[in-house]
Amino acid sequence: MSTTPPVLAAELALAWADIQRHHPELPDLAAPESLIGESSSACGAELSFERLLHEAVHGIAAARGVRDTSRAGRYHNRRFLAIAEELGLDHVDEPHPSSGFSLVTLNPEARRRYRPTIERLARALKAHTAATATDTARSFRGPAARHGSSGGGVRVKAVCDCGRNVRVVPSVLAQAPIVCGGCGKPFRIPEVAAVG
């Protein structure tokens, strides 16, 4: 099994497609590789099928025009929870004071439904982790790793030829192209002119 990020991105795309088979209103995942190395304390730091299903809840909420979070996306409200339950995610009775109902877990029925997908994605994630863990102690991993943070790193603006832009961690963009849904061209980080 190859452990390159494009293979992991492909596995993420296949897992997303499996969720779409059960929930056709779920929009396409524009850039699966953007989830690699991405972290959010509100949505869960570790990439897994459960995290992917959590992101699918946000996708369906967006497709329905439902505002499922507040407080800059940190607090997941009862509208988020209602869609999460449709997708096979459960939550404890009381919301977390700062993140609301964000800490959802797969219910037994969803775990059975998605078992082959969960296992395939887990193998790809394990291979990816093994491949990226071979860095030597001399490799610079940035401030997040240095301080034990689970943060995905500093995001910069990447642009495409049609003028759209996204914020992305440069290392994520370096793993594989993120393609604009508007013009079909890859996003790139513009050169910064040297200040003399």
Side-chain angles (χ1 to χ4, degrees):
M1 171 185 284
S2 174
T3 58
T4 59
V7 170
L8 180 53
E11 288 296 338
L12 287 166
L14 287 172
W16 192 265
D18 192 22
I19 298 168
Q20 284 179 309
R21 275 192 287 282
H22 297 280
H23 304 279
E25 70 183 305
L26 178 63
D28 291 338
L29 182 60
E33 62 275 5
S34 68
L35 294 171
I36 302 169
E38 182 62 32
S39 171
S40 165
S41 59
C43 295
E46 187 175 317
L47 184 56
S48 64
F49 183 79
E50 198 167 75
R51 165 82 190 283
L52 196 63
L53 204 55
H54 174 124
E55 296 301 331
V57 173
H58 291 303
I60 288 177
R64 292 178 182 174
V66 171
R67 185 171 178 201
D68 63 339
T69 62
S70 59
R71 300 181 196 164
R74 289 185 310 273
Y75 191 87
H76 293 59
N77 59 35
R78 291 193 183 277
R79 291 180 294 271
F80 171 86
L81 181 58
I83 298 170
E85 289 171 348
E86 288 178 39
L87 271 68
L89 294 167
D90 288 334
H91 188 276
V92 294
D93 292 334
E94 294 300 315
H96 185 275
S98 63
S99 63
F101 296 100
S102 68
L103 302 175
V104 288
T105 56
L106 278 169
N107 69 29
E109 181 184 333
R111 193 171 300 282
R112 279 189 300 277
R113 177 187 312 136
Y114 294 112
R115 181 186 315 251
T117 302
I118 292 168
E119 291 171 355
R120 191 178 63 239
L121 183 59
R123 283 192 303 272
L125 287 165
K126 183 177 178 183
H128 176 72
T129 300
T132 57
T134 59
D135 288 349
T136 67
R138 295 173 37 90
S139 297
F140 178 71
R141 303 290 292 172
R146 214 172 43 242
H147 299 294
S149 166
S150 62
V154 177
R155 290 172 182 78
V156 298
K157 183 164 74 169
V159 298
C160 69
D161 289 345
C162 71
R164 296 178 74 210
N165 66 70
V166 295
R167 291 276 178 186
V168 64
V169 178
S171 62
V172 171
L173 190 60
Q175 292 172 0
I178 297 175
V179 180
C180 174
C183 70
K185 303 267 174 104
F187 284 95
R188 61 184 167 33
I189 299 171
E191 297 287 329
V192 177
V195 176

